[in-house]
Amino acid sequence: MLGTRTWLCRGLLQLRASPCLASSRRGGSSRDKDRSVSVSSSVSMPAGGKGSRTNCVQSTPQKVPNRLISEKSPYLLQHAYNPVDWYPWGQEAFDKARKENKPIFLSVGYSTCHWCHMMEEESFRNEEIGRLLNEDFVSVKVDREERPDVDKVYMTFVQATSSGGGWPMSVWLTPNLQPFVGGTYFPPEDGLTRVGFRTVLLRIRDQWKQNKNALLENSQRVTTALLARSEISTGDRQLPPSAATMNSRCFQQLDEGYDEEYGGFAEAPKFPTPVILSFLFSYWLSHRLTQDGSRAQQMALHTLKMMANGGIRDHIGQGFHRYSTDRQWHVPHFEKMLYDQGQLAVAYSQAFQISGDEFYSDVAKGILLYVARNLSHRSGGFYSAEDADSPPERGMPPKEGAFYVWTIKEVQQLLPEPVLGATEPLTSGQLLMKHYGLTEAGNISPSQSYSPQDPKGELQGQNVLTIRYSLELTAARFGLEVEVVRTLLNTGLEKLFQARKRRPKPHLDSKMLAAWNGLMVSGYAVTGAVLGMERLVSYATNGAKFLKRHMFDVASSRLMRTCYAGSGGTVEHSNPPCWGFLEDYAFVVRGLLDLYEASLESAWLEWALRLQDTQDRLFWDSRGGGYFCSEAELGPGLPLRLKDDQDGAEPSANSVSAHNLLRLHGFTGHKDWIDKCVCLLTAFSERMRRVPVALPEMVRALSAHQQTLKQIVICGDPQAKDTKALVQCVHSIYIPNKVLILADGDPSSFLSRQLPFLSTLRRLEDRATAYVCENQACSMPITEPSELRKLLHH
């Protein structure tokens, strides 16, 4: 705890995340969810009853906007009519704090965050709290998705000085931006177990006036301790650890925490964790003949099946919600994030490659259908998220999950038609209710309804669709043919979908982030390649074109972090632009490499190399190895410059970069990519050794490096049938540690210039010919897909 509890208790506040929403290591880091927090203090504070919130006078939103009205971020704009004198993150706010000698109140969140809405509604619209903030603090509002560097620095502080973290994040800083108190959500007034936001503000105000020097000293001390603890470097280590050892440890840690019945790796809440599933698939491949290998495959496939059957998947509109509030994947937290959709499309495509079960490919196609319909800009980019909350009816206040839940009465009215041939009287509504587990009283239990995600019990009496039986069992129950049941259910779901379209929609965060667009390009490219669906690959191509057209500065070769949907289908940028962070480069480079392998258009490979060069220039730590999350000049005044060391809801950008460097070496033969990869893996050695399960994606990269990548070269005309047959053969097999290269016979082509050995590979009898190359040695030429399949499986 860095010794901070002592000084925090000396007249200040000790902040704890509510245990019911504490961070789960395997669910990812604190980025995974918004959370509430309780506050305890060594100094007595007035307590209020359950209704004490009403003591705060709520006001209607003021008509005069604050300065956030000039921002582009949907999250900041949600606060533009608060009585709080908000500043965006920037020099103007810092200068004001220094000039007036006031502490900074930093509030960080995002536009689809349930508890961010709660705190805005309860506290930031409150005139009295607004006055307190305006008189004694400089208030700064940050969209964590726009500024992950700011979010990460202060979340590191909150997590180190309390038992959790999440959003909204509330942190108090000195005018020099050093944190001294932090927490997450605060109710407006004191309750039986929580200190209210107004009380916190009064207490900090008094401490700033009476004990400011002690606060500043303690703040400096904790910042120094955080800096020491968060340092990641090679030190005197020369090489990364053994991949076999790290693989084994990571697998054992996952095996110990696995839920045998429902899949996943925690009790509740449960998160989709594609990085873990990806690790398990890779582990299976390299341990296929062992019991542990079979176990890894079973764990991943079972988890994916249970998630897809559960309520965390939207069975009506497709796509996945953020996480499940229960162990069974039944009742979700209803927001939908782009980064989940992109990664899960890849995971389900891989599950199809491995199992051959079309259940998984259907789920992947459903995810991409949802993104195309709900999260796509007409120019090819992808929006960030859809909210969990929406009004049940127009004019009503928003409620959690209102767009997604159903009563029995609604379903019966929509689907009254009798089902012919059933062994008992049956309507199509009753059939659907049986299959998806809907009940008269609602299938959300009271304990789930009055949960931390639903403190007002808004979900009571409602139903979330979750598959309870196989099609075969449902058919047998009513004496029907399986195909008849399938048709009836699909027709019923379509009618519910049409009815749901008439409901008020959840808020759409139309901000577009380069990093998440990169993940989505991968989702479309990988799934399109695996399933042989060129239409999906074209979505990936359009996404990459969007990134190049709207989020890339040609002169500096830099990515922009954000752009925004303007009116009439236009694209807008903030001024000055928000420049990209490490994750933007890493995820976009990965997306471009996946798109090259899906489309075999070398222009995407060329752009990936250019972006990797920029990434190295802006973020590489030449002293300690690995990449910093932000540019040195991007975060002036931030007390820490960090390297992300956890694969959570999204993979760590360093983990993805390690894979990218290996692949780029496979495509170009340039040794400096391998050297950088080794240096990066060495820098993270200690973290991998200590907690390999925190970095499953990096353990995968470590394995790929120590096993070496395969170069699969197809010599042929990209438009010819025989070339396409060999390419499709490669895509149909799960081979994570490979690069796929098209050699079209042109010695002046980009890849021929990078890899001179390609000119020595010939087509056999003028037919498309494949070579599998490893450790600078190539296989005999292969012209038959069946022979290639045999070799790759071997």
Side-chain angles (χ1 to χ4, degrees):
M1 299 302 282
L2 302 173
T4 54
R5 286 204 182 278
T6 310
W7 68 265
L8 279 170
C9 290
R10 275 188 210 132
L12 263 178
L13 304 162
Q14 180 180 329
L15 309 176
R16 294 198 310 270
S18 298
C20 51
L21 285 172
S23 173
S24 158
R25 179 184 291 162
R26 293 197 179 103
S29 65
S30 64
R31 79 183 66 188
D32 287 340
K33 50 189 177 285
D34 46 297
R35 302 182 180 85
S36 61
V37 351
S38 59
V39 186
S40 65
S41 171
S42 58
V43 182
S44 61
M45 294 188 176
K50 287 180 182 176
S52 64
R53 181 194 301 172
T54 56
N55 297 339
C56 267
V57 180
Q58 292 293 332
S59 66
T60 53
Q62 61 180 29
K63 299 298 180 191
V64 181
N66 57 46
R67 57 177 56 75
L68 296 185
I69 198 70
S70 303
E71 296 298 307
K72 298 288 186 189
S73 157
Y75 176 63
L76 269 53
L77 290 170
Q78 286 171 350
H79 296 75
Y81 286 89
N82 294 163
V84 179
D85 184 19
W86 290 114
Y87 283 77
W89 180 266
Q91 201 59 49
E92 188 183 1
F94 312 151
D95 290 345
K96 179 180 168 71
R98 286 168 193 146
K99 182 181 175 185
E100 299 180 11
N101 194 21
K102 289 179 178 177
I104 292 169
F105 167 60
L106 172 66
S107 176
V108 181
Y110 57 102
S111 84
T112 58
C113 156
H114 176 73
W115 287 99
C116 301
H117 300 330
M118 291 284 285
M119 197 161 175
E120 192 267 339
E121 186 183 310
E122 296 170 340
S123 293
F124 301 145
R125 290 187 203 175
N126 181 286
E127 295 285 356
E128 183 190 349
I129 286 176
R131 263 196 309 276
L132 263 175
L133 284 167
N134 296 344
E135 287 170 11
D136 297 300
F137 301 88
V138 174
S139 300
V140 175
K141 178 60 73 173
V142 166
D143 182 338
R144 66 167 295 266
E145 294 168 356
E146 278 191 333
R147 292 301 303 260
D149 57 333
V150 175
D151 178 64
K152 182 165 177 57
V153 163
Y154 295 111
M155 188 62 76
T156 300
F157 167 77
V158 170
Q159 289 178 315
T161 56
S162 69
S163 59
W167 300 278
M169 175 169 63
S170 306
V171 190
W172 285 264
L173 318 176
T174 69
N176 289 327
L177 307 185
Q178 293 188 330
F180 60 90
V181 171
T184 52
Y185 163 83
F186 294 92
E189 296 292 336
D190 299 339
L192 292 172
T193 58
R194 295 183 181 185
V195 178
F197 187 56
R198 188 168 63 86
T199 302
V200 173
L201 290 175
L202 291 170
R203 197 56 59 92
I204 292 175
R205 179 193 69 181
D206 294 345
Q207 289 296 319
W208 183 260
K209 289 177 179 175
Q210 296 161 19
N211 297 313
K212 186 172 70 174
N213 288 339
L215 277 181
L216 293 174
E217 285 172 22
N218 285 319
S219 177
Q220 180 60 53
R221 193 178 309 138
V222 81
T223 303
T224 304
L226 281 174
L227 191 60
R229 197 180 83 163
S230 62
E231 186 175 2
I232 291 170
S233 70
T234 55
D236 11 355
R237 288 182 291 274
Q238 300 299 311
L239 291 169
S242 150
T245 305
M246 294 302 97
N247 261 297
S248 177
R249 277 194 209 159
C250 189
F251 171 74
Q252 292 305 328
Q253 288 178 346
L254 290 171
D255 192 26
E256 286 162 17
Y258 179 64
D259 182 339
E260 296 285 352
E261 192 171 356
Y262 296 103
F265 301 90
E267 284 295 310
K270 266 189 179 166
F271 291 83
T273 46
V275 288
I276 287 176
L277 301 169
S278 188
F279 167 82
L280 289 171
F281 284 148
S282 286
Y283 187 87
W284 160 76
L285 191 65
S286 54
H287 297 77
R288 269 179 299 183
L289 303 179
T290 70
Q291 196 174 337
D292 281 354
S294 301
R295 169 78 169 158
Q297 184 200 51
Q298 178 263 328
M299 285 160 66
L301 291 177
H302 181 59
T303 297
L304 285 165
K305 187 152 274 190
M306 296 305 288
M307 280 169 45
N309 284 338
I312 190 175
R313 178 181 169 208
D314 177 2
H315 294 279
I316 293 171
Q318 298 303 314
F320 279 79
H321 299 294
R322 178 73 279 268
Y323 63 88
S324 170
T325 60
D326 56 82
R327 182 186 161 206
Q328 294 84 3
W329 305 104
H330 177 196
V331 182
H333 175 44
F334 289 90
E335 73 183 317
K336 290 180 176 178
M337 308 300 294
L338 184 69
Y339 58 77
D340 283 325
Q341 317 309 322
Q343 294 179 88
L344 285 170
V346 172
Y348 279 97
S349 298
Q350 291 172 338
F352 171 66
Q353 282 177 314
I354 289 165
S355 69
D357 186 344
E358 289 186 3
F359 171 87
Y360 298 107
S361 58
D362 287 344
V363 176
K365 286 187 280 190
I367 292 169
L368 300 180
L369 172 67
Y370 159 71
V371 173
R373 190 178 56 229
N374 289 54
L375 296 180
S376 292
H377 188 275
R378 65 169 68 168
S379 297
F382 303 106
Y383 302 134
S384 293
E386 285 191 304
D387 209 323
D389 301 359
S390 59
E393 293 177 28
R394 298 192 196 286
M396 294 177 69
K399 290 184 177 182
E400 165 95 8
F403 185 71
Y404 298 102
V405 293
W406 299 86
T407 63
I408 286 288
K409 186 179 176 185
E410 287 174 304
V411 176
Q412 286 173 330
Q413 286 176 345
L414 285 165
L415 304 171
E417 310 85 3
V419 176
L420 302 176
T423 51
E424 61 187 77
L426 181 72
T427 65
S428 55
Q430 288 168 330
L431 177 71
L432 186 138
M433 291 186 291
K434 184 72 175 175
H435 188 73
Y436 288 100
L438 280 62
T439 66
E440 193 75 46
N443 64 12
I444 301 168
S445 69
S447 63
Q448 288 170 309
S449 182
Y450 289 95
S451 71
Q453 281 307 325
D454 183 31
K456 301 172 187 173
E458 293 170 341
L459 297 174
Q460 196 173 23
Q462 300 286 343
N463 288 278
V464 174
L465 272 67
T466 177
I467 295 174
R468 290 291 166 87
Y469 308 100
S470 66
L471 285 172
E472 288 76 11
L473 276 174
T474 301
R477 166 75 176 77
F478 297 109
L480 297 167
E481 294 294 324
V482 170
E483 285 310 309
V484 170
V485 170
R486 190 195 308 276
T487 302
L488 286 168
L489 290 175
N490 287 342
T491 303
L493 291 175
E494 178 59 26
K495 287 185 178 177
L496 295 187
F497 177 73
Q498 295 303 328
R500 202 172 77 173
K501 279 165 71 173
R502 297 192 285 273
R503 295 177 176 179
K505 289 182 172 55
H507 157 71
L508 171 71
D509 187 331
S510 59
K511 175 175 73 271
M512 288 170 273
L513 300 173
W516 297 2
N517 271 253
L519 290 174
M520 206 62 238
V521 167
S522 285
Y524 274 106
V526 171
T527 307
V530 168
L531 302 184
M533 296 178 67
E534 290 186 16
R535 185 173 55 83
L536 298 181
V537 177
S538 71
Y539 273 100
T541 302
N542 290 338
K545 285 178 179 174
F546 180 91
L547 282 162
K548 196 160 192 182
R549 188 182 309 120
H550 295 290
M551 305 186 79
F552 179 62
D553 179 62
V554 178
S556 64
S557 290
R558 287 165 84 194
L559 284 171
M560 293 172 205
R561 167 73 175 173
T562 58
C563 65
Y564 309 86
S567 57
T570 58
V571 176
E572 297 178 352
H573 295 86
S574 52
N575 187 19
C578 184
W579 294 108
F581 297 92
L582 175 64
E583 64 181 50
D584 296 298
Y585 288 84
F587 295 177
V588 170
V589 169
R590 172 190 269 187
L592 294 173
L593 297 180
D594 288 338
L595 179 54
Y596 167 73
E597 293 196 359
S599 67
L600 300 173
E601 292 177 17
S602 62
W604 301 123
L605 196 51
E606 292 184 59
W607 190 32
L609 262 70
R610 186 175 174 187
L611 288 178
Q612 186 66 50
D613 285 335
T614 306
Q615 175 182 319
D616 293 346
R617 174 167 54 86
L618 297 176
F619 304 101
W620 181 253
D621 179 4
S622 54
R623 185 181 62 84
Y627 294 96
F628 289 110
C629 294
S630 56
E631 293 181 43
E633 60 270 26
L634 206 72
L638 280 175
L640 305 172
R641 193 179 179 210
L642 300 171
K643 297 173 188 171
D644 197 4
D645 63 352
Q646 179 147 340
D647 294 321
E650 303 156 63
S652 151
N654 271 287
S655 298
V656 173
S657 294
H659 283 278
N660 290 346
L661 291 166
L662 288 173
R663 293 172 77 182
L664 287 167
H665 173 260
F667 283 121
T668 64
H670 296 178
K671 187 174 178 294
D672 51 336
W673 299 128
I674 284 286
D675 293 342
K676 265 200 166 62
C677 179
V678 171
C679 191
L680 185 159
L681 293 168
T682 305
F684 284 85
S685 289
E686 189 55 39
R687 175 72 163 158
M688 275 194 282
R689 282 195 183 96
R690 208 169 60 246
V691 205
V693 77
L695 282 169
E697 188 73 5
M698 192 170 286
V699 173
R700 235 170 46 81
L702 179 67
S703 300
H705 163 59
Q706 293 185 3
Q707 292 168 11
T708 72
L709 290 187
K710 286 183 172 70
Q711 291 167 306
I712 303 173
V713 183
I714 310 290
C715 301
D717 173 356
Q719 301 308 319
K721 278 186 180 177
D722 55 355
T723 305
K724 288 182 176 179
L726 290 172
V727 168
Q728 193 52 45
C729 171
V730 175
H731 287 315
S732 69
I733 304 169
Y734 175 69
I735 322 167
N737 301 339
K738 63 104 172 66
V739 293
L740 173 63
I741 295 168
L742 176 75
D744 60 5
D746 178 1
S748 65
S749 71
F750 174 73
L751 276 164
S752 294
R753 297 197 310 273
Q754 301 291 324
L755 297 169
F757 84 89
L758 292 181
S759 62
T760 67
L761 303 179
R762 297 276 182 267
R763 299 186 202 186
L764 206 60
E765 298 169 0
D766 210 29
R767 296 168 66 190
T769 305
Y771 296 85
V772 179
C773 306
E774 216 169 341
N775 293 321
Q776 298 176 317
C778 292
S779 68
M780 296 293 286
I782 298 165
T783 56
E784 290 298 330
S786 58
E787 290 300 312
L788 179 59
R789 178 178 299 279
K790 211 178 293 179
L791 177 62
L792 292 173
H793 273 306
H794 177 72

